[in-house]
Amino acid sequence: AQTVTQSQPEMSVQEAETVTLSCTYDTSENNYYLFWYKQPPSRQMILVIRQEAYKQQNATENRFSVNFQKAAKSFSLKISDSQLGDTAMYFCAFMKRNNNDMRFGAGTRLTVKP
Amino acid sequence: SAVISQKPSRDICQRGTSLTIQCQVDSQVTMMFWYRQQPGQSLTLIATANQGSEATYESGFVIDKFPISRPNLTFSTLTVSNMSPEDSSIYLCSVGWAESLEQFFGPGTRLTVL
C-alpha cells in the first residue's frame, strides 16, 4: 500500500518570503504521479502542482516549485514570494499510474503573516 | 477543467437517519470519487462511483453504509446511512478523466450528526 507522510502539521512564513513544505511517500511502484493540493478555509481543493515520476525535471508553476527526489521518495513544495492568499492547508498526494485512486498526506497548515 | 456542485453544502442530522449528498458536474466525466475528510484531518477515499455498475469501495467502507449511485456521466449521489456522531465529516466529490491526471474537487458537504 502507498503511504504519504507530511511531517509538518503547521508552518508559518512572513509575506514575501520563501517556505518549503515537506512530503515523503512509500511505494514499490515505478510509475506514479505526485500532487500538491491547496485547501483554503473555503475548503475548495485546488491543484497547485503535479509531477510525473518518470520526469527528472522538477515541476514549476509560477511561484510554486517542487524538489522531487525519486530515490529518496521525497516531494517537497517551495513557495516563493509568499502571499497572504497562500494561507491554507496543503496536501501532498500520490497516485499510481493507470489508477486514479489518490492517496493524501495528513496535510500542513500554512499561515502567511503580514 | 470542470465545475462541480454539491448539495447540500451543510446539514445537521439526527442519529439513526440517512442523508443523500448530490454531486453534479458541468461536463461528462469518466470518473467520480467520494472522499471523507474528518475534522482537522486528511482526505480518505470512500469509493469510486462507476457509471452503469456498482461502486468500488475502499477498505473500511461498505455499500450498506455508503450506498452510491451514478446514473449518468455528470451526476452521482452518496448516501450516509444510519448515521452516528462518528460520521460527522466533510464529504467531498471529485471528478477526473481516464486520459487526464487531474482530479477536480467539489466544495464539499459539511455533515454534523447529533
Side-chain angles (χ1 to χ4, degrees):
Chain A
Q2 287 73 37
T3 57
V4 180
T5 302
Q6 293 179 250
S7 58
Q8 305 152 315
E10 293 190 23
M11 292 192 71
S12 63
V13 63
Q14 291 296 132
E15 195 175 6
E17 294 190 347
T18 296
V19 63
T20 298
L21 308 184
S22 301
C23 173
T24 59
Y25 57 95
D26 184 26
T27 185
S28 58
E29 301 287 328
N30 192 47
N31 292 319
Y32 52 87
Y33 308 100
L34 296 162
F35 306 84
W36 279 98
Y37 277 89
K38 167 184 176 181
Q39 187 179 42
S42 66
R43 74 172 186 256
Q44 180 79 51
M45 292 280 285
I46 303 165
L47 178 66
V48 175
I49 198 166
R50 71 176 187 222
Q51 174 82 41
E52 289 89 339
Y54 64 87
K55 290 186 177 179
Q56 294 186 339
Q57 186 173 4
N58 289 324
T60 299
E61 286 288 341
N62 301 315
R63 298 184 294 108
F64 300 88
S65 61
V66 299
N67 182 4
F68 173 48
Q69 302 290 326
K70 190 173 183 179
K73 296 179 182 175
S74 171
F75 183 61
S76 61
L77 174 70
K78 185 171 81 172
I79 306 174
S80 304
D81 186 24
S82 297
Q83 300 176 359
L84 297 177
D86 295 333
T87 292
M89 282 289 288
Y90 286 81
F91 292 99
C92 179
F94 171 100
M95 186 172 75
K96 287 193 294 186
R97 189 178 179 185
N98 297 326
N99 180 339
N100 289 69
D101 175 359
M102 196 171 284
R103 304 287 167 170
F104 289 84
T108 297
R109 184 177 302 280
L110 175 68
T111 301
V112 179
K113 298 179 178 179
Chain B
S1 67
V3 177
I4 305 159
S5 61
Q6 285 186 234
K7 290 181 181 179
S9 59
R10 59 176 61 223
D11 206 341
I12 301 172
C13 301
Q14 295 297 320
R15 180 195 300 261
T17 63
S18 298
L19 176 72
T20 295
I21 302 168
Q22 299 179 2
C23 178
Q24 179 75 54
V25 192
D26 68 342
S27 58
Q28 293 187 342
V29 294
T30 310
M31 301 178 176
M32 296 182 80
F33 306 90
W34 287 98
Y35 290 84
R36 182 174 72 184
Q37 186 177 23
Q38 293 180 305
Q41 298 196 22
S42 186
L43 284 74
T44 301
L45 181 64
I46 298 172
T48 302
N50 303 311
Q51 196 265 332
S53 64
E54 279 196 4
T56 305
Y57 289 84
E58 295 299 305
S59 175
F61 298 97
V62 295
I63 188 171
D64 290 346
K65 176 68 175 176
F66 297 102
I68 287 170
S69 78
R70 174 112 190 252
N72 56 52
L73 293 175
T74 63
F75 186 78
S76 178
T77 66
L78 168 76
T79 299
V80 186
S81 304
N82 188 25
M83 288 184 285
S84 67
E86 292 72 34
D87 294 321
S88 297
S89 285
I90 295 171
Y91 292 85
L92 293 130
C93 166
S94 78
V95 305
W97 293 264
E99 62 275 15
S100 169
L101 301 177
E102 292 191 40
Q103 285 190 24
F104 295 91
F105 285 81
T109 295
R110 183 182 295 275
L111 170 62
T112 302
V113 184
L114 302 178

